[in-house]
Amino acid sequence: MVIVPTPAKPPRIINFLKPYVLKMHFTSKFVSAQVIHSPIATVASSASSQEKALRPSIDSTGDVAAAAKIGKIPAERLLLKGIPAVEVHLKREQKYHGKVKAVIDSMREASVKLLWELLNLLAEFVLRLIIRVRMVENDEPAAQLLNTEVVASIQVGSESNIDH
């Protein structure tokens, strides 16, 4: 009798496909930002106004200007690691204003893509593709198709808690 061992399970690939999450913490004196790979709970990049190397370059450690500088540092570190996009996680009390806006905008300026922007681009691409397919099928001009329910049904950005 031959005993065949059970095959080893391959690693779950879905854990490595999930996005990186930007989490921010603010106090009256300090600003910190972390990018965490959520499935395996590892910190991909972080920066804080408490770091000794950053203190000489920051005038005040708790204001909006410090938040903008803190946002650029993890973005540059992410790009060095080859991570092009992050998801933004806001707490209930955090609004897209002030220090939060400064961190997010500085990450965007450092050419890190934000997940909701990628979803909006994908929705726009799908919408244009649907319109082209309908134009070919129905021989209708694009102006008539833009007034249909297809345009109203695809609105990814409106559900986002961050409005521009």
Side-chain angles (χ1 to χ4, degrees):
M1 180 171 168
V2 177
I3 298 176
V4 178
T6 59
K9 289 185 177 180
R12 294 188 63 183
I13 293 185
I14 196 160
N15 289 343
F16 300 101
L17 297 178
K18 290 188 177 182
Y20 290 83
V21 180
L22 170 66
K23 294 186 178 186
M24 299 165 280
H25 181 71
F26 304 101
T27 65
S28 60
K29 293 183 179 181
F30 300 108
V31 176
S32 65
Q34 286 185 333
V35 178
I36 300 170
H37 190 246
S38 56
I40 54 178
T42 58
V43 177
S45 175
S46 67
S48 174
S49 59
Q50 294 178 343
E51 294 179 16
K52 288 184 180 180
L54 297 177
R55 282 200 178 181
S57 65
I58 299 174
D59 296 333
S60 175
T61 57
D63 62 350
V64 176
K69 288 181 183 178
I70 293 301
K72 287 183 184 179
I73 294 166
E76 292 169 355
R77 293 175 182 170
L78 286 174
L79 292 175
L80 288 175
K81 289 185 175 184
I83 301 169
V86 296
E87 178 184 347
V88 178
H89 178 265
L90 296 179
K91 299 175 187 173
R92 282 188 182 181
E93 66 271 5
Q94 289 179 333
K95 305 283 187 220
Y96 184 70
H97 178 74
K99 295 177 189 177
V100 175
K101 184 177 188 291
V103 171
I104 293 173
D105 287 347
S106 63
M107 289 195 81
R108 187 182 296 139
E109 288 172 6
S111 70
V112 171
K113 298 289 182 192
L114 303 174
L115 195 61
W116 77 78
E117 291 174 344
L118 296 175
L119 290 175
N120 284 337
L121 289 173
L122 180 64
E124 182 180 341
F125 173 76
V126 169
L127 176 65
R128 289 175 190 233
L129 185 65
I130 289 172
I131 289 174
R132 285 185 183 168
V133 168
R134 285 195 178 179
M135 283 176 54
V136 170
E137 289 176 354
N138 302 334
D139 293 331
E140 294 180 21
Q144 292 177 356
L145 289 174
L146 287 175
N147 295 327
T148 62
E149 70 279 352
V150 175
V151 175
S153 65
I154 301 178
Q155 301 236 349
V156 174
S158 63
E159 285 84 29
S160 176
N161 60 350
I162 301 174
D163 35 315
H164 303 289

